[in-house]
Amino acid sequence: MLHALADWLAGFYSGFNVFQYLTLRAILGVLTALVISFVIGPYMIRHLNILKIGQPVRDDGPVTHLGKAGTPTMGGALILVAITVSTLLWADLGNRYVWIVLAATVAFGTIGWIDDFKKLRYGNAKGLSARSKFLWQSIAGLLTALLLYVSAHAPAETQLIVPFFKTIAIPLGTVGFVILGYFVVVGTSNAVNLTDGMDGLAAGTLAVASFALMVLCFIA
């Protein structure tokens, strides 16, 4: 949104061209998400504490995790708001990848929200059944992969580029691309949860994974 505004204002004052630089917009996006977290986060935590909305912890995990029971949960909603607002403000909304990734993020976030809601409603740590969660994740993953394939404009967008070997590009075709895309999207979405899934509080692993993905995206 602001990217488009700056592009229009650049016609009157060339200084606004600075907002065309990805580095600057990435920094501003991070700062915007940080401000949103600082402003909304404390209020949200207080409100969740008042409503006694806390995370149930599985009793088959480490004893040290039992002390985390009651920690305010559904923090993913705050993360989704920060990501969505920052993206809409600073990303190039003319880039179809932005919309596809944002839609996938919201879709998987919604699945996570429903999972948390069921945990709180029934007072246990199970939430959505593994079958239901995997079904909806599979639908979202397949749709994401299909959108990426049908919207591709160049052969390189549907090829497997082997890391460190710039001249090796393997054509995947429709089936190969969709299958690989599906496993990447669904696998990535579950990676953090599987790493720290006993108590459902994965802020630490999420921060590490997010930073790594940010670096990879910036390089790409």
Side-chain angles (χ1 to χ4, degrees):
M1 186 182 301
L2 294 180
H3 174 268
L5 177 61
D7 189 39
W8 178 73
L9 291 174
F12 303 94
Y13 176 62
S14 61
F16 284 100
N17 283 320
V18 69
F19 290 100
Q20 299 298 324
Y21 290 104
L22 178 60
T23 304
L24 175 63
R25 288 188 288 115
I27 293 172
L28 292 173
V30 170
L31 291 177
T32 301
L34 191 63
V35 169
I36 292 173
S37 299
F38 282 157
V39 172
I40 301 179
Y43 168 79
M44 183 176 181
I45 292 172
R46 286 196 302 270
H47 193 62
L48 291 173
N49 278 323
I50 292 173
L51 295 177
K52 299 186 184 301
I53 298 178
Q55 172 70 20
V57 176
R58 296 167 61 99
D59 55 11
D60 55 353
V63 177
T64 53
H65 282 206
L66 297 178
K68 298 181 181 181
T71 301
T73 186
M74 300 186 80
L78 176 60
I79 295 174
L80 278 178
V81 170
I83 289 175
T84 301
V85 173
S86 299
T87 300
L88 292 177
L89 284 177
W90 297 110
D92 178 5
L93 300 183
N95 188 325
R96 69 185 187 283
Y97 287 123
V98 170
W99 291 106
I100 294 174
V101 171
L102 186 59
T105 302
V106 172
F108 279 90
T110 301
I111 296 171
W113 182 87
I114 295 173
D115 184 41
D116 280 345
F117 179 78
K118 288 180 70 69
K119 290 177 184 178
L120 297 171
R121 182 176 181 181
Y122 297 109
N124 60 59
K126 293 183 178 179
L128 277 174
S129 67
R131 180 176 297 180
S132 297
K133 186 183 294 185
F134 185 66
L135 171 64
W136 289 110
Q137 288 178 342
S138 295
I139 292 173
L142 284 172
L143 287 175
T144 301
L146 283 170
L147 279 173
L148 288 171
Y149 184 83
V150 299
S151 64
H153 297 317
E157 297 180 46
T158 58
Q159 293 174 338
L160 177 61
I161 310 297
V162 180
F164 308 111
F165 297 94
K166 296 182 179 181
T167 58
I168 300 179
I170 304 173
L172 296 174
T174 305
V175 176
F177 181 87
V178 171
I179 291 176
L180 179 61
Y182 163 80
F183 277 111
V184 169
V185 174
V186 177
T188 302
S189 72
N190 282 292
V192 172
N193 287 332
L194 292 174
T195 303
D196 191 16
M198 285 296 182
D199 56 21
L201 302 168
T205 49
L206 176 62
V208 174
S210 298
F211 179 77
L213 289 172
M214 180 186 71
V215 172
L216 292 174
C217 290
F218 184 80
I219 293 173

